[in-house]
Amino acid sequence: MVETRVSHLALLPNAQYFHSMRDAYDAAQLSASHSFCRSAKSRVQHPAMSSKRRNYGTSSVLEKSTPSHCIFAFDTLIMQLSSQSSPERAFPDAHTALFVTWKLHSTQECADSHPHLRGCIGTLEPRPLRSALHDYALTSALRDTRFDPIALQELPHLQVTISLISCFEEAGNCYDWSIGVHGLIIEFKDPMNGSYHTATFLPEVAPEQGWDHKACIRALVKKSGYSGSINQSLLDVISTTRYRLILVSMYA
């Protein structure tokens, strides 16, 4: 994880405009209203569920988030809220899955304040990065149904985290992955009624919870909504996909 503590405002072409807004908000004392998105705090947008294993692509390139991605997310939200045209995309395109997370700090001393989640939505289906980052920056900020949409007066106290997910590989079995390195997606059918189940944990979940491989998989099966017996017969039919994740955060 890369923590970028330099103010995004100093890097923007419209920095003077944004500084003026922040000064006005401070003077008026306006109030604001799924480590990267953990399993219980993130929203994954999936296509319609099917009984077939989804295609996550075959690229082995580890896509890395950069400060340019964070700047673009901030610009996209600023321009949307101020009714301006979309910003230029000053970064190379890629084909990757991603999450966008917005958090709100209660003070301008971002490093010393406790952030509150304001939106976290992403997709595990690889998409063209330039269009996907634009879409999910706004979807996470304005259409995460767990929260009110982010308001203009919150912008000076926001933090954005861009997480790029890549290097999807089909694991040999449900324990064929490294703790703290790989995120996981499991997919399986209920042996009793044939219903389809899927769930994901991000790479940091297992070490944060103190889980070994077995405990992590059992928790992931439960997260999928499956309520039956977790026995060896079930574990043998689970399709497991592992992936890598690189993220970068930036404060306003």
Side-chain angles (χ1 to χ4, degrees):
M1 175 175 176
V2 179
E3 288 283 358
T4 305
R5 298 186 182 277
V6 175
S7 172
H8 166 58
L9 306 180
L11 305 176
L12 292 180
N14 57 344
Q16 184 64 49
Y17 168 70
F18 197 7
H19 275 301
S20 298
M21 287 198 303
R22 178 159 63 181
D23 293 343
Y25 298 149
D26 291 343
Q29 296 183 347
L30 294 176
S31 60
S33 6
H34 219 194
S35 57
F36 153 45
C37 325
R38 290 173 174 78
S39 57
K41 294 185 178 180
S42 58
R43 290 292 175 93
V44 184
Q45 291 197 338
H46 293 294
M49 291 296 185
S50 72
S51 59
K52 295 183 178 180
R53 182 177 179 273
R54 290 193 297 275
N55 180 17
Y56 299 105
T58 59
S59 174
S60 60
V61 176
L62 181 62
E63 301 293 349
K64 297 181 179 180
S65 306
T66 70
S68 294
H69 299 143
C70 295
I71 292 170
F72 177 75
F74 266 114
D75 279 351
T76 298
L77 181 57
I78 291 167
M79 293 183 178
Q80 175 71 21
L81 293 178
S82 56
S83 301
Q84 300 181 56
S85 58
S86 298
E88 294 294 326
R89 295 160 173 81
F91 53 86
D93 207 1
H95 198 68
T96 182
L98 78 162
F99 276 79
V100 179
T101 306
W102 295 98
K103 291 183 178 181
L104 180 69
H105 293 265
S106 58
T107 71
Q108 292 186 26
E109 297 298 327
C110 296
D112 299 327
S113 63
H114 181 68
H116 303 283
L117 186 65
R118 288 294 282 113
C120 181
I121 295 179
T123 177
L124 291 171
E125 300 273 346
R127 289 184 49 187
L129 176 59
R130 286 182 167 178
S131 59
L133 183 52
H134 175 276
D135 294 347
Y136 283 100
L138 296 180
T139 299
S140 176
L142 305 176
R143 291 184 283 278
D144 189 328
T145 56
R146 298 169 295 174
F147 309 100
D148 291 333
I150 290 175
L152 194 62
Q153 62 264 29
E154 295 178 275
L155 287 172
H157 306 301
L158 285 179
Q159 173 191 347
V160 69
T161 299
I162 308 300
S163 305
L164 299 189
I165 302 171
S166 57
C167 297
F168 291 90
E169 301 175 298
E170 186 171 4
N173 57 66
C174 64
Y175 301 134
D176 182 22
W177 50 277
S178 298
I179 293 174
V181 174
H182 294 113
L184 301 173
I185 305 166
I186 61 167
E187 302 172 68
F188 63 96
K189 283 185 177 181
D190 187 319
M192 299 300 294
N193 58 29
S195 60
Y196 176 74
H197 294 263
T198 184
T200 186
F201 276 154
L202 302 173
E204 69 268 29
V205 172
E208 286 182 355
Q209 298 297 323
W211 290 335
D212 60 13
H213 289 74
K214 291 183 178 180
C216 183
I217 292 298
R218 291 183 68 87
L220 194 51
V221 169
K222 292 180 180 178
K223 184 191 174 189
S224 76
Y226 178 74
S227 58
S229 175
I230 305 176
N231 52 35
Q232 192 59 48
S233 296
L234 178 71
L235 297 176
D236 287 341
V237 300
I238 290 177
S239 174
T240 304
T241 301
R242 63 194 184 200
Y243 57 82
R244 301 285 300 277
L245 181 152
I246 301 292
L247 61 84
V248 63
S249 295
M250 180 175 282
Y251 302 115

